[in-house]
Amino acid sequence: MTISDYLDPFDAARQAAQAIGERSGTPQHDVAIVLGSGWGSAAEALGDVVWEQESARLPHFVGSTVPGHGGRVRSIRRGDSNVLLFMGRTHLYENHGAVPVAHQVRTAAAAGCHTIVFTNGAGSLNPAWLPGTPVLISDHINLTGASPLDGATFIDLTNLYSLRLRELCRTVAPELDEGVYIQFRGPAYETPAEIRMARTMGADLVGMSTALEAIAARESGMEILGISLVTNLAAGMTGDALNHEEVLAHGNASAQRLGGLLASVLDTLAVRN
Ligand code: HPA
C-alpha cells in the first residue's frame, strides 16, 4: 500500500509514526538516521536494538526492490537518546513518485526527531576522494526535476546541510572533507558527458538519493546532516565501467569505520543539543 492520492502525506506520516511508537514501545524518537548503499554494516555500532521491523510493514511504506537496500527500520537506544534507524530508502527511480521518497523522512519528523542524518553511497568527481572516503555534504543540486513539495510551498533551502552539524562532525573526525552532492534520477549510472556537466555545475559527489529527502526534511523543520561514502570515482574518470556490486562492496569494506563515526556523531549530538 503506497500513499494514495486521497491521503495527505503528513497524515500518512503520522500514521506510520504512531505505528512505530506503539510497536517499538518508544513514543518519541530524537534523531533519525537513513543508511544508504554500503552503509548497512554501520548499523551494528549504533547502540542497543530495542525493536526492528521490515519497513514495508509500516503504514504507507513501499517495499524495497533494490539488492543491498535493506528496507528495515530499527529503534535504537544510545545513551539517553532514542534513535530511529532506517536501513534503506525509497528511490525516485522506483517510479512511485517523490511523495513516497519523502514518506520515511516525514515519518521521522512525526516520530519526534529534531535531527536527521542522511547517508548514501556516491560517485566522486574529486580524484583525491578514493573509494571508502566519507565526505560531508555541504549543499546539493537537485537535477531530478522532481520535488516532494506540493503546490506553492516556497521554502528556504539555504544552509540546508547544517553548518553547525558539519562543524560538530569535524570535532570527532577533523579530516572530513565536504562537497556538493548532485542527485540524478537514475537508475542508469551517468554518462561521462553528464559527469563533465555535473562538474561544470559545481558538483563534487553524484548519486540517486538524498536531495529530495533533504527538501522534505527542511519542510518538516529537522536539522540535517548528510554524509556520502565514496564508493567509486564517477563515470569516465577511470577506464573502468561502473557496476552496482562493486559500489556495494566498497561501501561494506568501510562500514566498521563508518559505524564508529556515526556513533561518535550521535554522542556529540546528544551532548550539544
Ligand atoms: N552515480 C550515481 N549514483 C551512485 C554512484 C555513481 O557513480 N555511485 C554510487 N551511487
Side-chain angles (χ1 to χ4, degrees):
M1 176 176 60
T2 64
I3 302 166
S4 83
D5 291 343
Y6 305 102
L7 184 64
D8 176 85
F10 298 95
D11 285 339
R14 277 189 286 274
Q15 289 175 15
Q18 192 180 348
I20 289 172
E22 286 167 8
R23 296 176 197 176
S24 69
T26 307
Q28 171 91 16
H29 284 83
D30 306 300
V31 177
I33 302 182
V34 180
L35 291 186
S37 310
W39 286 77
S41 326
E44 306 320 317
L46 300 181
D48 299 325
V49 180
V50 175
W51 168 83
E52 175 170 350
Q53 190 168 79
E54 235 180 283
S55 310
R57 293 185 55 203
L58 291 170
H60 315 296
F61 275 67
V62 293
S64 170
T65 51
V66 190
H69 292 256
R72 299 190 72 78
V73 57
R74 279 184 187 173
S75 177
I76 290 176
R77 185 82 184 157
R78 181 171 187 87
D80 291 332
S81 298
N82 296 319
V83 179
L84 190 56
L85 179 69
F86 294 107
M87 302 155 80
R89 50 163 49 100
T90 299
H91 291 87
L92 191 65
Y93 58 69
E94 292 172 75
N95 279 332
H96 303 293
V99 169
V101 169
H103 179 56
Q104 177 157 278
V105 175
R106 290 173 172 150
T107 297
C113 296
H114 52 72
T115 303
I116 188 159
V117 181
F118 294 112
T119 71
N120 59 48
S124 168
L125 281 79
N126 180 342
W129 297 338
L130 297 177
T133 310
V135 180
L136 296 173
I137 300 176
S138 57
D139 202 348
H140 80 218
I141 299 170
N142 172 12
L143 207 68
T144 66
S147 171
L149 308 179
D150 187 31
T153 314
F154 302 121
I155 60 169
D156 169 64
L157 295 182
T158 57
N159 193 28
L160 185 60
Y161 299 87
S162 162
L163 181 60
R164 184 184 87 89
L165 295 184
R166 277 181 274 149
E167 286 175 346
L168 194 144
C169 273
R170 292 214 179 84
T171 64
V172 295
E175 73 285 1
L176 279 175
D177 233 334
E178 64 179 34
V180 173
Y181 179 92
I182 189 164
Q183 179 177 355
F184 279 77
R185 181 191 176 283
Y189 290 116
E190 302 70 35
T191 62
E194 287 165 344
I195 292 301
R196 288 195 296 276
M197 174 190 75
R199 182 175 293 113
T200 305
M201 289 175 147
D204 305 296
L205 299 155
V206 58
M208 305 175 196
S209 70
T210 305
L212 298 180
E213 293 159 69
I215 293 169
R218 166 56 64 86
E219 182 191 31
S220 291
M222 288 186 284
E223 195 171 8
I224 300 165
L225 175 66
I227 315 177
S228 286
L229 171 68
V230 171
T231 55
N232 56 283
L233 288 176
M237 291 179 64
T238 69
D240 303 337
L242 301 187
N243 79 69
H244 184 59
E245 287 68 32
E246 265 182 49
V247 164
L248 290 181
H250 280 299
N252 286 329
S254 321
Q256 211 173 357
R257 223 159 27 92
L258 299 173
L261 171 65
L262 281 182
S264 310
V265 168
L266 285 175
D267 292 342
T268 321
L269 269 176
V271 172
R272 302 278 186 88
N273 268 304

